[in-house]
Amino acid sequence: MMESKWARMDEEMTEQLEKAASDFESLSYGLMTMCYHNYEKKEWVNILEVKMVDWGGLSLFEVAQITNAKNFLSHAAYQSYLTDIWMGEVHPSTPFFLLALCAVLPLYLFS
């Protein structure tokens, strides 16, 4: 009898936590949309990068990854930030032949 009471409380708490997580993700998505459209890139990138003491020293970028917040992870601002990380210092206007040359040239060093 006591176990079913605890199980029911666990289920209720799980549902409440999942709803709170969903609400938080929805709010963060809305806030990121507002920042993405109304502020310069360096300002909204700062929101993704700043480490929050209250979140255990994690950034919003890291929290979104850890919690697998798919809606937030699909946001254009987040995707742009990931593209910048992946591309590094490669400028988008770099000609394709230079990129291909850089990709192939290291192979000649080891042959």
Side-chain angles (χ1 to χ4, degrees), residues 19 23 26 35 37-38 43 50 62 75 86 91 104 110:
K19 177 159 178 10
D23 290 347
S26 178
C35 293
H37 292 296
N38 297 318
E43 294 169 330
V50 69
E62 294 165 323
H75 194 283
W86 187 77
H91 195 274
V104 173
F110 298 108

Side-chain angles (χ1 to χ4, degrees), residues 15-85:
E15 288 174 11
Q16 290 174 352
L17 289 172
E18 286 174 351
K19 177 159 178 10
S22 176
D23 290 347
F24 181 77
E25 182 180 5
S26 178
L27 289 170
S28 64
Y29 187 90
L31 178 63
M32 185 53 65
T33 299
M34 184 195 72
C35 293
Y36 183 68
H37 292 296
N38 297 318
Y39 295 97
E40 295 291 323
K41 184 174 184 175
K42 66 180 180 176
E43 294 169 330
W44 56 258
V45 165
N46 188 45
I47 292 171
L48 291 170
E49 290 179 333
V50 69
K51 304 278 184 183
M52 302 295 291
V53 175
D54 294 339
W55 295 347
L58 298 173
S59 66
L60 182 58
F61 177 74
E62 294 165 323
V63 170
Q65 290 176 329
I66 291 168
T67 60
N68 199 22
K70 290 182 174 129
N71 190 33
F72 187 81
L73 294 172
S74 69
H75 194 283
Y78 192 89
Q79 293 300 312
S80 175
Y81 180 67
L82 286 177
T83 300
D84 289 349
I85 290 171

Side-chain angles (χ1 to χ4, degrees), residues 93-108:
S93 66
T94 304
F96 177 75
F97 77 90
L98 285 178
L99 293 174
L101 181 65
C102 290
V104 173
L105 190 58
L107 297 176
Y108 290 111

